[in-house]
Amino acid sequence: MTPQDLVIRMLPPFAGWLALAALALPAGSPLRGAAVVVFLAAGPGTALVGLCGPALRARSARGPVERRDPGFVRHSDLLERMMLAVFVSIAAVMIVATVLIATHTFSAQRVLLALTLLTTLAAFCPRLRASPPSRTRKGSVL
């Protein structure tokens, strides 16, 4: 792993710890709100999508037949990963908040702490590899 890969991999957990540190700012501070919102909207999802990155890159997008846009595959894959990161982040926030509500321990700080820990754990996990293509013969059932 190159130093650049390590820095990119550690950005989401750093944003989470920064958001936790921003809780020390006054309650109405725009900086506090911005740090928390940016992390909750993209941090956990970015770490989890990055965990599955090599597996997601195994199959790239297919462009339309009638137009030959040379950057279609790259732009489409980037947009897919960005949107997936946002939706996975929102899903993680909802799941963590629901679990904390169900256990009667809900607070915004606990949600933020749990998601920061999840993001840090996902950043340190080894990346998933793409599975090799299946070797089925023509005409076989499987």
Side-chain angles (χ1 to χ4, degrees):
M1 178 184 320
T2 66
Q4 182 182 6
D5 291 337
L6 183 63
V7 168
I8 290 172
R9 198 174 192 178
M10 291 300 130
L11 277 177
F14 177 73
W17 293 108
L18 187 66
L20 278 171
L23 293 179
L25 294 171
S29 172
L31 187 60
R32 175 182 178 171
V36 171
V37 167
V38 166
F39 171 69
L40 291 179
T46 302
L48 292 170
V49 169
L51 183 66
C52 304
L56 290 174
R57 285 185 214 106
R59 294 185 181 169
S60 60
R62 295 185 185 153
V65 177
E66 58 273 358
R67 279 197 259 139
R68 301 285 183 204
D69 183 9
F72 176 81
V73 173
R74 184 172 48 90
H75 294 132
S76 178
D77 288 343
L78 179 63
L79 180 62
E80 175 186 354
R81 283 193 300 273
M82 286 172 43
M83 293 307 297
L84 192 58
V86 170
F87 290 135
V88 168
S89 288
I90 293 170
V93 170
M94 289 292 149
I95 290 170
V96 168
T98 302
V99 167
L100 291 176
I101 288 171
T103 59
H104 303 289
T105 57
F106 178 81
S107 74
Q109 291 85 2
R110 287 185 183 147
V111 171
L112 192 59
L113 178 64
L115 288 169
T116 301
L117 292 174
L118 173 74
T119 304
T120 304
L121 181 67
F124 282 112
C125 285
R127 302 294 188 227
L128 299 177
R129 296 181 185 182
S131 62
S134 62
R135 298 181 181 230
T136 58
R137 288 184 278 157
K138 264 187 168 177
S140 69
V141 176
L142 294 175

